[in-house]
Amino acid sequence: MSIGKVSLIGAGPGEPGLLTLKGRDCLAQADVIVYDYLANPVLLGHGRSDAEQIYVGKNRGCHSLPQDDINQLLAAKARAGLRVARLKGGDPYVFGRGGEEAAFLHEQGIPFEVVPGVTAGFAAAAYAGIPLTHRDVTTSLALLTGHERPERKLSSLDWQTLATGIGTLIFYMGMTNLETICAQLMAHGRPATTPVAVIQWATLPRQKTLTAPLAEIAARVVAAGIEPPAVIIIGEVVGYREELRWYDNLPLFGKRFLITRPREQAQYFVDLLQGQGAETICIPTIEIAPPESWQDLDQALEELNRYQGVILTSANGVSAFFERMRTKNLDLRALAGVEIIAVGPKTAQSIAAYGLKPDLIPADYRAEGVLTALLARGVEGQRFLYPRTEIARDVLRVSLTAAGAQVDAPVVYRTIAPQNKTDMIRHLLAEKELDAICFSSSSTFENFSAMLGAELKHLQGRAAFFSIGPLTSKTIRQHGFKVALEPQSSTLDDLVAAMVDYYTTS
Ligand code: SAH
C-alpha cells in the first residue's frame, strides 16, 4: 500500500471565510480530518461526507489529546495510505505546535505539506480596526507568547527590547499573565499611557474588544470578564481603532438569529445577515422533497409549445422544473415562444441561472402581483403552466381560470418536516440566547411550532419572531403569536434591511 500524506492546514481565526482556497481543497480531498479546539468546526463541511473526523482539542475545559498521541495518530493514518488533513486554528506555524508535528512526520519519512492560515493576531487586528504597522507610528512588529513552557519563565523574554525597541507587540495566550506583561513593559520603559487592545474571539460575531492604557488594561479585563481565547495588541497603532473599526459597529453585530429555511436556500440569507455583523444559526424546519409523482409535469413537458406562459413562483419550483426538463432530455428550445413569468427578482435570478430571462416580473412580488399583471392584459383562452409546491395557495389557478384561462398546476416539489431536529432545537434554546427567529414561509413556522409544541409560548418572551411577509405573518398570528417585524416587500434583502432598521432605531 502506498503511503498517504499529511496536510497541516491553517484554519484561520474563526470566521469560515478566512480559510485559504488551498486549505479548502485539501479538506475536500482528505480521508481523515484531525481538528483542534480553535479550528471552526463549520469548516468540516468542506470535507467529504465519508471522511473520518477526529477531534483532538480540549473538551469542556479538560485537556486536549497529548501532542505525542496526535503525532502518532497523524503518522498512523498516513501509513495506512490515507490523506490526512490536520486542521489547526490560525496558522499552523504560529504558536500552534505545527513545527513539532512536521518534524515528527519528517523523522518518520511521511510526506507532508503546510498550508498557511490567517493567524489570530493578524485577524484580530484587522477586525478590531488596528493596522499593525503604520508609517506614522511604527515600523516593527513582534508576535509573542504570554504563556511560556513552565520550565522557562516569562522573564526569558527580552523585556528591554520589547519595551523600547519594537513598535507593535502581539501576545498570544497572554491572558493569565497580562498583569505581569504590562508591569514588565512599563518597568522597562514603555509609557504607561501606551494603548492596548484585548480582542477575544476575533472575527466571530461574539468578538469582544477592550481598549485601555497599559497601566489599566489588566484590571479592566478582569472587570469586563474577558477570558481566553484572546490576543493582546500593544502599541500606538491601537489608537487608530476608533477611526478604523468597521466590524463590531456593523448594525447587527452581537445579534444572534435562528434561521429556519431549508439548507439549500439559507446561504444567501446567512451571507446578508453576516454582512451586517450578525451571528446566524441554521436549523432548517423544512426540507425539499420531490413530488409523489412526476406524471403531471411530464405530460405538460411533452406539449410545452401549447402554453402561452410558464409561471414560476419560487427558486425550488424553478430548479425542479428545469432539472426535470433536463431529465426528460429537453433543452431550452422546448420553451421557444413560451412566455416566462417570474413572481419576483429572486425567482428571476434562479431562472437566469438556467439561461433564460423572464418576460414578466410584477411590481408586487406575490401571486397576487402575477395575477394583476396577467389580468390587466387579458388571459381569456390562454393556457398557462404553473409548476408549484403541494401546499401552494390556489389563488392564481382559481382566479386565472375564472378569467377564462386554462391553468395546469403540476406539483414539482414538496416541503416536508425534517426528522430528528427537535432535540437539536431544544438543545440550542437551552444553551444560547437568541435575539430573533426568522420565518420565511408559513411552513417554516408551522413545522417549528409542531416541533416545539407548548415550549413555543415560553420562547416568545425570549426571542422575537420575524416574518418575511403577510402570509407568513398571518400563520404566525393564527397560532397566537406576535410578529415583531415584517418587511414592506417579501424579499430577504428587504427583511434584512428591516432588521437593521429594527435594531438601529429601536
Ligand atoms: N496557531 C494559532 C495560535 C494558537 S495559540 C494562530 O496562528 O492563530 C492559541 C492562542 O491563539 C489563543 O490563546 C489566543 O491567544 C489566540 N487565538 C486563537 N484564535 C483566536 C481568536 N479567534 N480570537 C482571539 N485570539 C485567538
Side-chain angles (χ1 to χ4, degrees):
M1 187 193 308
S2 67
I3 203 162
K5 182 176 181 177
V6 179
S7 305
L8 297 176
I9 305 167
E15 133 95 67
L18 293 172
L19 173 74
T20 64
L21 297 176
K22 180 158 185 188
R24 185 183 68 185
D25 293 346
C26 287
L27 284 175
Q29 285 163 12
D31 301 300
V32 188
I33 303 175
V34 180
Y35 66 106
D36 269 354
Y37 169 59
L38 285 172
N40 191 335
V42 166
L43 298 177
L44 298 173
H46 292 302
R48 298 195 324 249
S49 54
D50 63 337
E52 186 185 3
Q53 300 177 351
I54 305 175
Y55 179 67
V56 293
K58 288 183 215 168
N59 215 340
R60 291 187 188 267
C62 303
H63 287 290
S64 2
L65 199 64
Q67 190 62 48
D68 284 346
D69 294 0
I70 298 177
N71 295 349
Q72 295 291 353
L73 174 73
L74 299 176
K77 292 288 180 189
R79 267 195 218 100
L82 301 173
R83 288 207 57 126
V84 184
R86 168 69 174 117
L87 191 60
K88 299 170 77 66
D91 181 276
Y93 275 5
V94 178
F95 306 126
R97 306 191 71 173
E100 292 165 53
E101 291 176 15
F104 183 81
L105 296 168
H106 168 72
E107 271 165 32
Q108 302 282 315
I110 289 168
F112 69 91
E113 65 182 346
V114 183
V115 181
V118 178
T119 188
F122 290 5
Y127 276 59
I130 300 169
L132 287 174
T133 65
H134 193 295
R135 284 206 303 184
D136 294 343
V137 293
T138 176
T139 50
S140 60
L141 166 70
L143 306 189
L144 305 137
T145 167
H147 179 83
E148 286 265 352
R149 293 156 100 159
E151 67 273 20
R152 274 200 283 161
K153 290 266 147 31
L154 255 186
S155 57
S156 70
L157 290 173
D158 178 356
W159 290 108
Q160 189 63 51
T161 306
L162 293 181
T164 54
I166 296 173
T168 308
L169 308 177
I170 308 182
F171 279 92
Y172 290 66
M173 297 172 280
M175 295 300 275
T176 39
N177 286 322
L178 181 58
E179 204 177 335
T180 317
I181 292 169
C182 297
Q184 286 283 17
L185 289 172
M186 287 186 287
H188 288 83
R190 251 305 151 135
T193 53
T194 309
V196 181
V198 170
I199 304 139
Q200 180 193 29
W201 287 121
T203 76
L204 294 168
R206 59 188 138 147
Q207 174 177 315
K208 280 209 178 68
T209 304
L210 185 72
T211 53
L214 193 54
E216 293 167 29
I217 189 78
R220 296 276 303 279
V221 159
V222 174
I226 296 187
E227 293 180 345
V231 292
I232 303 154
I233 304 182
I234 302 170
E236 293 305 323
V237 286
V238 171
Y240 287 96
R241 168 171 159 78
E242 274 326 299
E243 206 182 313
L244 299 184
R245 64 191 281 189
W246 58 272
Y247 178 59
D248 51 5
N249 56 5
L250 286 170
L252 298 182
F253 181 81
K255 303 280 178 240
R256 185 182 288 140
F257 302 112
L258 178 64
I259 294 174
T260 53
R261 332 192 71 206
R263 197 159 297 291
E264 303 82 21
Q265 286 144 40
Q267 197 56 48
Y268 181 74
F269 193 31
V270 166
D271 290 346
L272 284 179
L273 287 172
Q274 288 185 351
Q276 300 291 347
E279 178 176 355
T280 52
I281 299 170
C282 295
I283 303 184
T285 60
I286 58 177
E287 274 171 14
I288 306 300
E292 306 273 4
S293 150
W294 287 107
Q295 200 184 344
D296 292 347
L297 179 65
D298 287 352
Q299 195 174 340
L301 291 179
E302 275 172 26
E303 41 184 24
L304 273 176
N305 57 0
R306 295 185 50 203
Y307 290 98
Q308 165 74 27
V310 180
I311 304 171
L312 293 158
T313 55
S314 73
N316 290 318
V318 170
S319 53
F321 177 73
F322 286 104
E323 292 306 327
R324 190 64 189 169
M325 274 183 73
R326 199 173 282 171
T327 312
K328 289 275 146 190
N329 262 329
L330 291 170
D331 66 20
L332 292 181
R333 286 170 298 179
L335 285 166
V338 182
E339 228 180 328
I340 305 291
I341 299 152
V343 72
K346 276 273 150 280
T347 307
Q349 226 174 51
S350 313
I351 296 172
Y354 287 94
L356 281 175
K357 189 168 165 299
D359 301 281
L360 176 75
I361 306 173
D364 172 11
Y365 309 146
R366 293 180 302 149
E368 285 79 356
V370 173
L371 189 62
T372 313
L374 288 179
L375 291 182
R377 61 162 215 214
V379 294
E380 176 133 28
Q382 295 178 355
R383 189 169 174 192
F384 291 93
L385 179 59
Y386 172 32
R388 63 187 181 120
T389 174
E390 209 170 29
I391 51 167
R393 295 175 311 135
D394 232 6
V395 53
L396 253 182
R397 200 176 60 85
V398 170
S399 309
L400 287 175
T401 311
Q406 182 184 339
V407 182
D408 297 333
V411 172
V412 295
Y413 70 95
R414 290 176 302 141
T415 53
I416 55 175
Q419 304 300 309
N420 314 324
K421 287 280 170 63
T422 309
D423 283 352
M424 222 169 139
I425 293 185
R426 291 227 166 91
H427 186 70
L428 168 76
L429 296 176
E431 291 249 298
K432 294 190 169 178
E433 287 302 324
L434 294 171
D435 289 279
I437 307 174
C438 306
F439 298 105
S440 56
S441 67
S442 292
S443 33
T444 56
F445 178 80
E446 275 161 351
N447 291 353
F448 186 75
S449 153
M451 285 168 175
L452 281 189
E455 274 176 59
L456 200 56
K457 272 268 172 272
H458 305 291
L459 188 58
Q460 174 116 73
R462 290 170 46 198
F465 290 180
F466 292 165
S467 148
I468 185 114
L471 299 172
T472 308
S473 303
K474 194 169 153 204
T475 308
I476 298 175
R477 291 194 189 104
Q478 273 168 354
H479 281 74
F481 293 97
K482 276 210 296 278
V483 175
L485 179 153
E486 177 197 304
Q488 289 266 303
S489 73
S490 309
T491 65
L492 293 170
D493 294 78
D494 281 315
L495 176 55
V496 173
M499 286 163 77
V500 167
D501 258 12
Y502 180 87
Y503 287 107
T504 45
T505 55
S506 67

